Amino acid sequence: MININSRHAAFGLTMLLLFFISSTKAQTYAENGMVVSDNVIASQVGVDIMKKGGNAIDAAVATAFALEVTHPEAGNIGGGGFIVFMKSDGDVTTFDFREKAPLAASPGMFLDENGEIKNNSNHQGLLAVGVPGTVAGLYQAHQKYGKLPWAELVKPSVELAKKGFTMTYGLYNVAVRMSERDPAEDIMRNYFRGEDGEVVKPGETWKQPALAYTLKQIEKHGRDGFYKGEVAQKIEDYMKANGGIITKEDLEKYEAVEREPLKGTFNGYDIYSMPPPSSGGVALIEMMNLMEQANISSVEFNSTAYVHLVAEAMRRAFADRAEYLGDPDFNLDMPLDRLLSKDFAKTRFENIDMNKASISDPAQFGHPYGGDNTTHFSIVDKEGNAISLTYTLENSYGVKMGSDKLGFIFNNEMGDFNPVPGVTTATGQIGSDPNLVAPEKRMLSSMTPTIIAKDGKPYLVIGSPGGRTIINTVFQTVLNVLAYDMRIDRAIEAMKIHHQWLPDQILYERNLLSPDTRDALEKMGHTLRPTTNIGVLMGITYDASTKLYTGSSDSSSEDGGARGY
Ligand code: GLY
């Protein structure tokens, strides 16, 4: 591996680690295999598994468990997610381990007697927790496609939790804030504290003994180590004692599902992404089709026309998302073929006025931006397999609750369901039927783990966190690589916008869009709002001429990085 940003300073293991963790990253190259994740220790765990003979699936399982330990704001065993897996023979499959609503859930479960959301209960408190899917999904993918024994993949994380790892500045910043939060968010008060009761400081070792216990059960018993036995009992006890509704029956019944990927094309490239219950793949392919219609490569990047076109594509894809998409096991008539067709993109393109913004009408047929904490990693191995995995707790540190006997945090993914049946508002709350709460239903997601292939081989492996912004972040990065020929680090860092139909506004990255362009867009009828950052992308590209993988992690990831060999 050659890390082009590597510098020389390293004074013992701790300083070396701190250096890597705080260094800025551009691109990393590798010949054999690579992991790009939100934490360099987790990336290295995945690479070590590949060096021992494991494949990309093995590395993904090991990296995902390591992120639970080293990147707990989103790395998880208490949440859920998706894998897109491209095998070396060109075949692609996906694993859906999205959380499910508990058996005791109902469409009006978050409402008071006036039909309004009670105490933010779809995001706060244990009613907001969906039945976790991560362990089941990783286990299922490993049983079908893994090479190394399961226990070997979980063991490094048990050790990381037990023996600890060096607290970073990035983690410490959050640790201080989290340790001072509302006492109702029980687990967070002590989460980052050492045996002396103080928050562990940068450079000191942070150990998580309760999490080590839970991971050990998973190491020994596989899926059953989480969904049955001691851990399941402790989850049920914690839920009962704190107002939650998840039972052992919910856990035992949870199943991950292997699903066919969605496939689209763009100018000769194949796009593989996640089908429902994620909306990511549908919206991505719909927008890429529209960009093909618009011949986007001929439109200058970041020009007024570019922002207008991209925003109008987003507006349309998000309106369709709100109208049609939900859990496929509950919505058997979603018009996916139509939404993904080139003909549909043609009609969608024809009603874009290049001089004027369209209007988003809630009466005809949006959700605020949603959870921002999710994490993505991309993996390639020397056999030519590729993994794009995004998983989440919904908000940063999920519901910020969990049993201190188990040491992990639960998601608050129930907030991704439409909370008030029938009520869609201009501020972005959506009330359409396909994504209303029902027992054992999966909430609609925006996660967009994606693999772009060229000639049957992975060309770009990409994904991001960011709630509903995920779809648009991945969309623009794919466009940057395929249409604007940007190298991966530049594609990741380039200016991003976000429009989600409702609220009817373009969110843009402050300082990266010129005032002249913003003026011109406002004159066309767009409303613009600045934000600091959109997306935390983790990407890998493959160069067939040099036979090298190039990886890059978004500079907004404090402890992220690419590792390869
Ligand atoms: N929790 C973010 C998503 O699934 O869209």
Side-chain angles (χ1 to χ4, degrees):
M1 183 197 81
I2 313 149
N3 185 331
I4 61 169
N5 277 330
S6 291
R7 295 181 216 144
H8 49 275
F11 309 106
L13 191 59
T14 303
M15 289 312 292
L16 181 69
L17 204 52
L18 280 173
F19 162 71
F20 275 126
I21 286 171
S22 59
S23 70
T24 55
K25 301 156 287 282
Q27 299 203 123
T28 299
Y29 299 100
E31 281 175 50
N32 297 305
M34 181 176 269
V35 183
V36 190
S37 85
D38 243 319
N39 183 279
V40 285
I41 299 172
S43 298
Q44 190 62 49
V45 165
V47 167
D48 289 345
I49 288 294
M50 289 194 274
K51 283 183 174 169
K52 282 187 186 159
N55 62 14
I57 286 279
D58 295 321
V61 171
T63 304
F65 283 118
L67 283 166
E68 158 65 63
V69 186
T70 60
H71 185 66
E73 70 175 278
N76 70 80
I77 54 176
F82 304 114
I83 293 174
V84 176
F85 173 38
M86 183 167 197
K87 300 167 226 166
S88 51
D89 63 4
D91 193 27
V92 184
T93 190
T94 76
F95 290 92
D96 163 6
F97 51 99
R98 182 69 163 165
E99 301 92 323
K100 284 180 146 187
L103 289 159
S106 62
M109 65 185 279
F110 301 118
L111 306 183
D112 63 18
E113 53 286 357
N114 302 317
E116 276 159 22
I117 300 171
K118 202 163 138 186
N119 303 331
N120 198 23
S121 56
N122 59 335
H123 290 111
Q124 244 176 325
L126 293 180
L127 280 187
V129 184
V131 182
T134 295
V135 177
L138 298 176
Y139 192 71
Q140 192 185 56
H142 173 262
Q143 291 298 295
K144 187 138 184 205
Y145 297 110
K147 275 170 80 177
L148 296 185
W150 171 259
E152 251 184 72
L153 311 178
V154 190
K155 196 178 173 56
S157 299
V158 176
E159 298 293 304
L160 264 173
K162 197 159 115 190
K163 297 189 179 143
F165 66 95
T166 309
M167 175 64 81
T168 65
Y169 289 100
L171 206 47
Y172 181 70
N173 280 333
V174 183
V176 171
R177 275 187 279 124
M178 284 292 158
S179 307
E180 290 165 355
R181 286 186 66 105
D182 180 347
E185 297 165 343
D186 48 9
I187 202 172
M188 299 318 302
R189 269 173 302 163
N190 298 320
Y191 198 69
F192 292 103
R193 294 183 198 273
E195 277 166 9
D196 60 0
E198 298 294 319
V199 175
V200 178
K201 297 199 171 47
E204 294 177 354
T205 302
W206 179 40
K207 296 182 188 172
Q208 300 169 75
L211 178 59
Y213 156 80
T214 306
L215 291 170
K216 189 76 193 171
Q217 300 305 307
I218 296 167
E219 179 194 322
K220 283 207 292 211
H221 306 297
R223 181 196 184 286
D224 289 353
F226 187 87
Y227 294 92
K228 289 183 183 169
E230 291 175 22
V231 171
Q233 184 64 53
K234 288 185 169 73
I235 292 176
E236 184 180 89
D237 293 347
Y238 176 76
M239 288 283 162
K240 273 196 181 141
N242 295 283
I245 56 174
I246 293 178
T247 61
K248 282 194 295 189
E249 188 186 356
D250 281 305
L251 294 164
E252 198 155 342
K253 284 188 87 172
Y254 184 87
E255 294 287 349
V257 186
E258 186 172 4
R259 298 187 193 274
E260 284 284 312
L262 292 183
K263 184 178 176 201
T265 60
F266 178 82
N267 291 349
Y269 293 92
D270 293 320
I271 305 168
Y272 295 99
S273 196
M274 199 64 211
S278 185
S279 56
V282 175
L284 172 68
I285 293 172
E286 201 180 321
M287 293 191 288
M288 292 301 289
N289 285 341
L290 224 142
M291 292 299 105
E292 204 175 56
Q293 282 293 327
N295 191 15
I296 190 73
S297 318
S298 66
V299 179
E300 187 128 352
F301 179 74
N302 252 7
S303 61
T304 304
Y306 166 89
V307 177
H308 175 66
L309 252 174
V310 164
E312 291 298 330
M314 293 171 175
R315 184 199 304 279
R316 283 156 179 75
F318 272 80
D320 294 335
R321 172 192 193 275
E323 186 164 3
Y324 298 117
L325 303 185
D327 183 340
D329 299 338
F330 286 72
N331 296 280
L332 302 177
D333 54 357
M334 289 185 289
L336 298 188
D337 288 346
R338 183 163 73 87
L339 296 176
L340 299 176
S341 72
K342 301 276 183 195
D343 281 349
F344 183 66
K346 196 159 179 265
T347 47
R348 280 302 212 186
F349 179 62
E350 277 164 9
N351 75 15
I352 295 178
D353 181 336
M354 281 308 291
N355 299 307
K356 203 165 143 230
S358 314
I359 290 167
S360 299
D361 180 357
Q364 290 195 22
F365 237 80
H367 238 305
Y369 296 107
D372 54 4
N373 250 308
T374 298
T375 186
H376 175 84
F377 58 86
S378 296
I379 299 186
V380 287
D381 69 17
K382 67 175 183 203
E383 292 166 25
N385 301 300
I387 297 270
S388 189
L389 188 154
T390 314
Y391 70 152
T392 183
L393 290 170
E394 171 68 352
N395 288 135
S396 182
Y397 296 93
V399 75
K400 302 173 187 69
M401 293 179 76
S403 163
D404 52 16
K405 294 190 178 75
L406 296 170
F408 71 88
I409 301 161
F410 289 107
N411 68 82
N412 57 345
E413 218 71 56
M414 294 291 284
D416 270 351
F417 279 115
N418 295 348
V420 189
V423 178
T424 295
T425 66
T427 55
Q429 181 173 289
I430 300 175
S432 57
D433 287 349
N435 189 36
L436 296 180
V437 184
E440 294 196 273
K441 188 171 176 181
R442 291 168 150 90
M443 57 295 285
L444 185 64
S445 171
S446 298
M447 291 187 278
T448 315
T450 296
I451 298 176
I452 307 292
K454 198 171 162 186
D455 305 324
K457 303 275 175 223
Y459 177 71
L460 168 66
V461 188
I462 193 80
S464 176
R468 281 151 193 77
T469 68
I470 295 174
I471 302 172
N472 291 334
T473 308
V474 171
F475 162 52
Q476 290 163 96
T477 309
V478 170
L479 212 52
N480 290 347
V481 174
L482 302 192
Y484 291 105
D485 225 6
M486 291 187 204
R487 52 180 239 190
I488 185 67
D489 58 332
R490 300 212 172 122
I492 285 174
E493 302 296 335
M495 196 282 297
K496 306 282 185 306
I497 64 160
H498 173 72
H499 194 301
Q500 58 172 48
W501 179 53
L502 293 171
D504 189 351
Q505 62 186 10
I506 298 175
L507 210 63
Y508 69 94
E509 290 183 310
R510 201 191 299 278
N511 303 328
L512 295 181
L513 190 63
S514 81
D516 301 356
T517 310
R518 299 197 316 257
D519 279 355
L521 288 161
E522 275 167 3
K523 285 196 180 99
M524 292 166 81
H526 290 288
T527 301
L528 283 94
R529 187 157 80 79
T531 187
T532 38
N533 179 64
I534 299 177
V536 187
L537 289 136
M538 302 287 151
I540 301 176
T541 50
Y542 180 66
D543 183 340
S545 60
T546 57
K547 297 194 166 43
L548 284 178
Y549 292 114
T550 307
S552 184
S553 69
D554 201 309
S555 61
S556 57
S557 170
E558 295 267 13
D559 297 340
R563 289 290 177 265
Y565 76 111

